[in-house]
Amino acid sequence: MFAKAVVRAKHKAKHRRPRTNPLARGAVAVSAGGAVLALPLLAATTAQAAPVTAPAASVPQASDNAVKAVPTTYSVVLGDSLSKIAKAHSLSGGWKKLYADNRGAIGTNPSHIRPGLTLKLGTAAKATVKAAPKAAPKTATKTAAKTVTAAPAALKSYSNNLDGWIRESLDIMAARGIPGSYNGIYRNIMRESSGNPMAINNWDINAQNGIPSKGLLQVIDPTFQTYHVPGTSLNSYDPVANITAACNYAAARYGSIDNVNGPY
């Protein structure tokens, strides 16, 4: 009896449809006083373990490697000023810092810089470089491909000649609200100095009074100092500083440099 009951129980278990519960109940026959008892037995429905997702391995970030700053120098050319050089090279601290770094070479007057003088421009800004991760996830790669970094705007440059000096002066004048046109400035420059930034008048009444007219637009020192435009050189021979100061003076007295057609 016991053996047959066990066989029947096993035979039925073979054809029993497995349930969807995580644990299925089987039956084990136990003899107790001649009777067959079916005791429930808990068993796993499947031998396949649920997949375990391992946490993604974190990619260590490489520490920032600061690129060593490289000292730079600049050789002064005709028409240069400290403010012009500082602006062209985007120097932190502007012309004042440039002067402080080169005071021993320039002297006590920051306006007096001569062509050929070598100036220290300080050090280049430190750049930070990060090592790229060895393996980036595909999704991150796609996202990075869509990201576009805008390039910094290029610093406007001017040629170191009469055309460049006039154009730079016009941009400064526009920012300061000083009227004047290219043709008006050019016409007066050619009459006053023939385009020579180092021109000086040593024979008129101003020269006799000790304040000769100087530069492209032949400005005397008192006028230059009164109408000097901040941000330009303090040297009255500097082409850009000379033009902007003269145009500022002409605007105050005549309305615009364009209205000047003779000695002023």
Side-chain angles (χ1 to χ4, degrees), residues 14 34 44 56 62 78 102 129 132 154 163 190 196 211 214 240:
K14 287 182 180 178
L78 181 64
N102 295 275
V129 179
D163 177 75
M190 297 311 292
N196 178 11
I211 48 173
K214 303 175 181 177
V240 175

Side-chain angles (χ1 to χ4, degrees), residues 139-148:
T139 54
T141 304
K142 291 180 180 179
T143 304
K146 294 179 181 179
T147 304
V148 179

Side-chain angles (χ1 to χ4, degrees), residues 83-123:
S83 60
K84 184 177 180 180
I85 296 170
K87 179 180 178 182
H89 295 273
S90 302
L91 298 184
S92 177
W95 73 266
K96 293 182 179 179
K97 180 65 168 59
L98 179 61
Y99 173 58
D101 291 343
N102 295 275
R103 183 164 185 165
I106 297 173
T108 58
N109 190 340
S111 299
H112 292 167
I113 56 173
R114 63 184 184 279
L117 178 66
T118 299
L119 301 179
K120 296 178 182 178
L121 300 184
T123 55

Side-chain angles (χ1 to χ4, degrees), residues 36 57 87 108 120 135 148 154 173 203 225 238:
V36 178
K87 179 180 178 182
T108 58
K120 296 178 182 178
V148 179
M173 290 163 57
W203 57 85
Q225 293 163 7
D238 179 82

Side-chain angles (χ1 to χ4, degrees), residues 77-245:
V77 298
L78 181 64
D80 272 342
S81 65
L82 294 183
S83 60
K84 184 177 180 180
I85 296 170
K87 179 180 178 182
H89 295 273
S90 302
L91 298 184
S92 177
W95 73 266
K96 293 182 179 179
K97 180 65 168 59
L98 179 61
Y99 173 58
D101 291 343
N102 295 275
R103 183 164 185 165
I106 297 173
T108 58
N109 190 340
S111 299
H112 292 167
I113 56 173
R114 63 184 184 279
L117 178 66
T118 299
L119 301 179
K120 296 178 182 178
L121 300 184
T123 55
K126 291 182 178 179
T128 300
V129 179
K130 287 187 177 180
K134 292 182 180 179
K138 291 182 179 180
T139 54
T141 304
K142 291 180 180 179
T143 304
K146 294 179 181 179
T147 304
V148 179
T149 303
L155 181 67
K156 189 172 183 179
S157 60
Y158 305 90
S159 56
N160 189 28
N161 54 30
L162 183 58
D163 177 75
W165 301 331
I166 294 176
R167 293 187 186 281
E168 184 174 357
S169 297
L170 284 170
D171 285 346
I172 296 172
M173 290 163 57
R176 297 282 180 173
I178 302 172
S181 68
Y182 187 101
N183 290 336
I185 295 173
Y186 180 83
R187 182 184 71 249
N188 282 283
I189 285 176
M190 297 311 292
R191 184 190 67 252
E192 294 292 334
S193 67
S194 299
N196 178 11
M198 302 305 293
I200 184 171
N201 185 323
N202 288 316
W203 57 85
D204 65 3
I205 186 64
N206 289 324
Q208 294 173 22
N209 292 331
I211 48 173
S213 303
K214 303 175 181 177
L216 290 173
L217 283 170
Q218 292 293 281
V219 183
I220 60 175
D221 285 343
T223 301
F224 178 82
Q225 293 163 7
T226 300
Y227 292 94
H228 172 260
V229 176
T232 63
S233 173
L234 296 174
N235 183 357
S236 61
Y237 281 110
D238 179 82
V240 175
N242 189 280
I243 292 172
T244 52

